[in-house]
Amino acid sequence: MQIRELAISGAWELTPKQFGDDRGVFLEWYKATEFTAAVGAPVMLAQANCSVSAAGVLRGIHYTDNPPGQAKYVTCARGAFLDVVVDLRVGSPTFGQWDSVLIDDVDRRAVYLSAGLGHAILSLEDNSTVIYLCSLEYSPELDHDVSPLDPDLRIDWPTVGRNGEPLDYSLSAKDSVARSFAQARADGLLPTFGA
């Protein structure tokens, strides 16, 4: 497995070795020893989620109060997503910046993001399926959102899907009314770096 830290401290891209033959493909999408050596701690599993999305579905930017925080280990089982990590940690050297990884059913990369980071995904084709491991069970009282389309964040969302068709973004009702990055900061809802 190749592990590369992203431009945002506390986030990594993981690219597994794939072994294929005429029967299909095998890969290890998580291996505790390699992950722990690179990241410094194993994934703490409290919940596992699966989400299937049509092309253009944009989910996030989601984050959880830190502490306790929620780390995520995310991969794509089918289709393709642009996975975006946003540094929402006040005081971080990369505060307000983002990085992205294409996760798909070809390279089968994964993304790990530490607690305190914001997360969003954009489906690049119909029936794309993301699965992710979470270090904290879903706790709605701890969850927050920042608009993924906030112009202050300048996230470069693709406008064309994997099949070359234009993408029409589709957000949940909750994500459609999410605070701006500036408002979340003004309201004291952003995590603190080093928490």
Side-chain angles (χ1 to χ4, degrees), residues 12 21 35 39 46 61 93 136 141 145 156 172 191:
W12 288 264
D21 58 27
F35 179 87
V39 174
I61 302 167
L136 179 73
E141 70 279 7
D145 311 286
D156 187 17
S172 70

Side-chain angles (χ1 to χ4, degrees), residues 85-96:
V85 178
V86 183
D87 194 344
L88 302 174
R89 303 167 299 180
V90 176
S92 168
T94 55
F95 178 68

Side-chain angles (χ1 to χ4, degrees), residues 63-67 88 90 95 142 144-146 179-192:
Y63 66 101
T64 303
D65 283 345
N66 192 28
L88 302 174
V90 176
F95 178 68
L142 302 176
H144 301 284
D145 311 286
V146 168
R179 288 176 173 84
S180 70
F181 178 57
Q183 189 61 56
R185 184 176 191 186
D187 292 345
L189 294 175
L190 296 180
T192 302

Side-chain angles (χ1 to χ4, degrees), residues 140-164:
E141 70 279 7
L142 302 176
D143 286 354
H144 301 284
D145 311 286
V146 168
S147 173
L149 301 175
D150 185 334
D152 289 342
L153 292 173
R154 297 184 298 278
I155 297 173
D156 187 17
W157 294 111
T159 57
V160 177
R162 188 155 85 161
N163 62 4

